[in-house]
Amino acid sequence: MKKNLLYLLMLLAMPLTFAACSDDDDDDVIIVDPTFTLDASGDYTGTISVPMTSNTLELPITFTVEQGEDSTTLSINGSAITVPSTATETSVELNGEEIDATLTISFISLTVTSLTGTLNNEGVASITIEATLYNQAVTVEITAQKDGTDDDNSDEDSSSEATLVDVSGEYEGTIDISLFGQTLASDAITFSVAQGENSTVLSIDDYLESLESTITLEVEIPSTAGETTLELNGDELDLESNIIGIDIVINSITGTFTAEGEGSFTIEAEAPALYQVVTITVEAQKK
């Protein structure tokens, strides 16, 4: 009888044991709340600042960002630069302290040794590039906005930018140099144009066969861009230079570049040693 009673008590206890185990299992369940991290991938539009010999060149720039798990790739003018990156809820930090890449902006070729910066949740990109330019160490800054994220001004800004001509590039044409009121030389020439927001840089470094001499000139000129033309407004430069072995003082550089790629400008200068006026006229077409 005692054995039967003991057996009955054991049967009654079994459901309680199962229920207790079930409750324990519920207590051990942990719900993980995944942390959100920013995805900064997309197209960006902004400006790049490049230090030159005597000035800082401001140029428009567009680039694409492709964000990975622990690295981010920036595609700029055909160059893809991948750097380590770290994403948080509000930003992506670019950590490319030691890299080796080449970046070409207009006619400028940079050897990049470092690319760091931040892409934030408001679509703003702030990037610093350490590089060498003409064997000199330079610091290049990029400031840009992710396309479509500036709701208040994006429509107005994109419309305004779309209407302005951009004449940056390589040109080839003819150059005429007059001295003593006579044409001293007429030759083929190539040169580069880098258009900024309020100024434009002309870079000439070419050999003139008719004079058996090299003409070298790099000068920043005030300019105004419209829908179809860019006007060079260098009316009062007072710039000392040496062209084809002659010391001159450049008084003015004026001219026009069009959306169709046509360019023409005139350099008015004085040659103090010769007491003469030097006039240089260039007519060219964008390559």
Side-chain angles (χ1 to χ4, degrees):
M1 182 69 180
K2 290 180 179 180
K3 290 182 178 181
N4 291 338
L5 180 60
L6 180 60
Y7 182 72
L8 179 60
L9 291 173
M10 291 175 62
L11 290 176
L12 291 173
M14 289 178 64
L16 296 177
T17 302
F18 293 150
C21 291
S22 177
D23 291 342
D24 291 342
D25 290 341
D26 291 342
D27 292 340
D28 291 338
V29 174
I30 300 174
I31 300 175
V32 178
D33 183 16
T35 301
F36 167 80
T37 56
L38 176 67
D39 184 0
S41 300
D43 296 324
Y44 288 74
T45 301
T47 58
I48 181 170
S49 301
V50 183
M52 303 296 287
T53 304
S54 59
N55 56 73
T56 298
L57 187 61
E58 299 278 348
L59 295 172
I61 190 172
T62 59
F63 58 93
T64 301
V65 171
E66 296 180 17
Q67 181 181 333
E69 184 175 354
D70 53 11
S71 65
T72 297
T73 299
L74 280 72
S75 298
I76 308 173
N77 286 2
S79 299
I81 303 176
T82 300
V83 298
S85 62
T86 305
T88 66
E89 295 183 12
T90 58
S91 67
V92 175
E93 299 296 328
L94 305 178
N95 307 314
E97 281 87 2
E98 295 182 4
I99 62 175
D100 183 9
T102 300
L103 177 62
T104 301
I105 305 295
S106 187
F107 65 93
I108 302 168
S109 181
L110 300 167
T111 301
V112 180
T113 57
S114 168
L115 190 153
T116 58
T118 302
L119 313 172
N120 69 23
N121 58 350
E122 295 181 351
V124 177
S126 300
I127 300 169
T128 300
I129 297 174
E130 300 293 341
T132 55
L133 174 63
Y134 304 135
N135 297 321
Q136 297 291 323
V138 294
T139 300
V140 177
E141 301 287 348
I142 295 177
T143 303
Q145 182 76 40
K146 189 176 182 180
D147 293 355
T149 59
D150 190 2
D151 294 334
D152 293 335
N153 300 315
S154 59
D155 292 341
E156 180 180 350
D157 290 348
S158 60
S159 174
S160 175
E161 291 175 5
T163 62
L164 298 181
V165 66
D166 183 3
V167 302
S168 300
E170 302 287 332
Y171 288 74
E172 57 185 2
T174 58
I175 182 171
D176 293 320
I177 303 176
S178 297
L179 184 66
F180 305 115
Q182 303 280 333
T183 299
L184 180 65
S186 182
D187 221 319
I189 193 170
T190 60
F191 61 93
S192 299
V193 174
Q195 179 183 334
E197 185 175 356
N198 298 306
S199 62
T200 296
V201 174
L202 289 177
S203 297
I204 305 174
D205 187 6
D206 203 0
Y207 183 77
L208 303 183
E209 293 184 358
S210 60
L211 296 178
E212 298 183 350
S213 179
T214 299
I215 178 170
T216 302
L217 178 67
E218 181 177 283
V219 58
E220 183 177 12
I221 309 161
S223 61
T224 305
E227 294 184 7
T228 58
T229 61
L230 175 83
E231 299 294 333
L232 301 180
N233 306 316
D235 298 302
E236 299 178 358
L237 295 180
D238 192 26
L239 176 66
E240 295 183 0
S241 184
N242 184 288
I243 295 180
I244 59 171
I246 302 175
D247 291 327
I248 64 173
V249 177
I250 298 176
N251 296 323
S252 69
I253 301 178
T254 57
T256 303
F257 289 83
T258 71
E260 289 76 22
E262 298 176 351
S264 63
F265 60 90
T266 300
I267 301 175
E268 296 289 349
E270 297 175 1
L274 303 175
Y275 300 100
Q276 290 292 329
V277 174
V278 179
T279 301
I280 301 174
T281 304
V282 175
E283 301 279 346
Q285 181 71 41
K286 192 174 185 179
K287 291 184 180 179

